[in-house]
Amino acid sequence: MHKVQKERRVPPLTLFATALITLVMDQLSKAIVRIHLPLGETVSLGFLEFRQVRNPGTAFGLITSKAWPLFVVSIVLFFVLILVLWKWGGPGSRVFQMGLGLIIGGALGNIIDRLTLGEVVDFIDVGFWPVFNIADIAIVAGVGIVLVIVAKQTWKGENEADRET
């Protein structure tokens, strides 16, 4: 009798490492800004400025009133999104894990700010865009990576289906 061996699932180490590194970089950069760059002061590097601002609202300060209910909804949606992406892609490739890790680490960084400070610390100012932070960069990059992978796999699946017909 032949035994069917179950496939061993390897923990998604790339996802965990990327999320942890992102979270540490975000929280460390915000701590440095809170300590060394008082509110209202600016350090200019020409095209880029560092300026500590506090964001009591949603992403990019778009909605400032009734932010807490939206914050709770966004946390729930965040975990639903991660669950859906995980179910869709499983541990996936290292790049997929990296994308999810960036999203998770960045989101956790901003969630920690919201829970501990009541607002998010933003400090990177490029002039033409709302002031942002490392967590925001990680989230946008992670979403971009995941979208590219999803689009490529969807396109690949459609091409394979076309060849079969």
Side-chain angles (χ1 to χ4, degrees):
M1 178 182 256
H2 180 61
K3 286 173 107 176
V4 177
Q5 190 173 10
K6 288 186 177 181
E7 181 182 331
R8 248 182 3 176
R9 291 202 101 168
V10 178
L13 297 178
T14 302
L15 184 148
F16 294 138
T18 304
L20 181 62
I21 290 167
T22 301
L23 178 60
V24 168
M25 287 177 52
D26 174 66
Q27 290 297 294
L28 184 61
S29 66
K30 289 173 181 174
I32 290 168
V33 165
R34 285 193 316 268
I35 293 167
H36 296 290
L37 186 62
L39 284 167
E41 288 189 25
T42 301
V43 174
S44 180
L45 301 176
F47 67 95
L48 175 72
E49 290 184 344
F50 293 109
R51 177 170 58 98
Q52 182 184 172
V53 298
R54 300 297 179 98
N55 178 357
T58 60
F60 305 114
L62 297 176
I63 301 172
T64 55
S65 64
K66 302 200 191 263
W68 276 103
L70 287 172
F71 173 64
V72 172
V73 169
S74 67
I75 289 176
V76 170
L77 289 175
F78 164 73
F79 284 110
V80 168
L81 172 67
I82 295 301
L83 180 65
V84 167
L85 287 172
W86 185 257
K87 290 289 184 186
W88 175 81
S93 67
R94 288 191 196 279
V95 177
F96 184 79
Q97 288 184 41
M98 210 177 285
L100 280 181
L102 287 168
I103 295 168
I104 292 168
L108 289 175
N110 283 341
I111 288 169
I112 288 170
D113 278 13
R114 219 137 325 253
L115 293 174
T116 59
L117 304 171
E119 55 197 1
V120 175
V121 176
D122 290 326
F123 59 91
I124 302 169
D125 189 354
V126 293
F128 61 89
W129 196 258
V131 181
F132 55 95
N133 58 42
I134 301 294
D136 298 333
I137 294 169
I139 292 167
V140 170
V143 167
I145 290 167
V146 168
L147 283 176
V148 167
I149 290 171
V150 168
K152 283 175 72 173
Q153 289 189 0
T154 301
W155 184 70
K156 181 180 172 185
E158 287 175 358
N159 282 345
E160 287 174 3
D162 288 345
R163 283 189 222 132
E164 291 174 5
T165 56

